[in-house]
């Protein structure tokens, strides 16, 4: 059972769920590509082939660490809109969560870079009454998340 399902109120139902975007795995992909390229060049038995092999192994180690970190972040992040609240939880050991009643949401801001617009990810900024602002990065379909909040106000 997820964090959000465990924290539902009486008669509260989930209307919309969102996830992190796959872009959080971009560093892992780039490290893997660097590892493959340097590994391919290291087989040419040249003077620097030992150095290239070491760089390849180092890039592979970075890819592994980055991949594990991104996978944990992807699996432990939850975004939901219910008929009563906006619920967001990110993290496993170090947890960041937000629970705002829909009636207390003043606005949902969306920031997207050019790449974010092309690939469909961005940052959402949840503003509650009293001026509290919470920012969440690399969310898939942030405009849909905002539309769902606004449709249920």
């Amino acid at each position: 059972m997820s964090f959000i399902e465990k924290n539902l109120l009486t008669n509260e139902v989930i209307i919309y769920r969102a996830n992190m975007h796959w872009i959080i795995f971009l560093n892992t992909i780039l490290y893997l590509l660097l590892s493959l390229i340097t590994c391919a060049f290291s087989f040419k038995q040249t003077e620097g082939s030992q150095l290239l092999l070491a760089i390849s192994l180092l890039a592979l180690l970075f890819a592994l660490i980055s991949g594990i970190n991104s996978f944990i972040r992807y699996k432990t992040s939850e975004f939901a809109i219910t008929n009563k609240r906006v619920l967001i939880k990110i993290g496993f050991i170090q947890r960041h969560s937000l629970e705002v009643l829909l009636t207390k949401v003043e606005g949902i801001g969306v920031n997207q870079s050019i790449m974010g617009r092309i690939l469909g990810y961005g940052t959402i900024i949840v503003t509650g009454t009293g001026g509290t602002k919470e920012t969440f990065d690399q969310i898939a379909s942030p405009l849909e998340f905002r539309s769902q909040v606004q449709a249920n106000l």
Side-chain angles (χ1 to χ4, degrees), residues 9-83:
L9 302 173
T10 307
N11 298 325
E12 187 173 26
V13 293
I14 297 171
I15 296 170
Y16 180 77
R17 281 187 183 265
N19 294 313
M20 298 294 290
H21 193 269
W22 64 263
I23 199 74
I24 66 172
F25 294 101
L26 184 61
N27 283 345
T28 304
I29 294 166
L30 293 176
Y31 285 134
L32 281 173
L33 284 173
L34 177 64
S35 179
L36 289 172
I37 291 168
T38 55
C39 185
F41 283 113
S42 72
F43 288 121
K44 285 192 171 181
Q45 299 301 322
T46 61
E47 203 170 287
S49 63
Q50 294 293 336
L51 177 62
L52 285 174
L53 188 58
I55 291 171
S56 176
L57 291 174
L58 189 60
L60 188 60
L61 177 66
F62 284 158
L64 180 65
I65 292 168
S66 175
I68 290 170
N69 184 34
S70 296
F71 181 76
I72 290 171
R73 186 171 171 218
Y74 185 84
K75 287 306 230 179
T76 61
S77 298
E78 298 180 61
F79 305 86
I81 300 165
T82 70
N83 58 334

Side-chain angles (χ1 to χ4, degrees), residues 104-124:
K104 301 295 183 186
V105 173
E106 282 187 359
I108 301 281
V110 174
N111 290 336
Q112 284 185 299
S113 63
I114 294 170
M115 191 60 74
R117 290 191 62 180
I118 292 168
L119 297 176
Y121 70 91
T123 299
I124 57 171

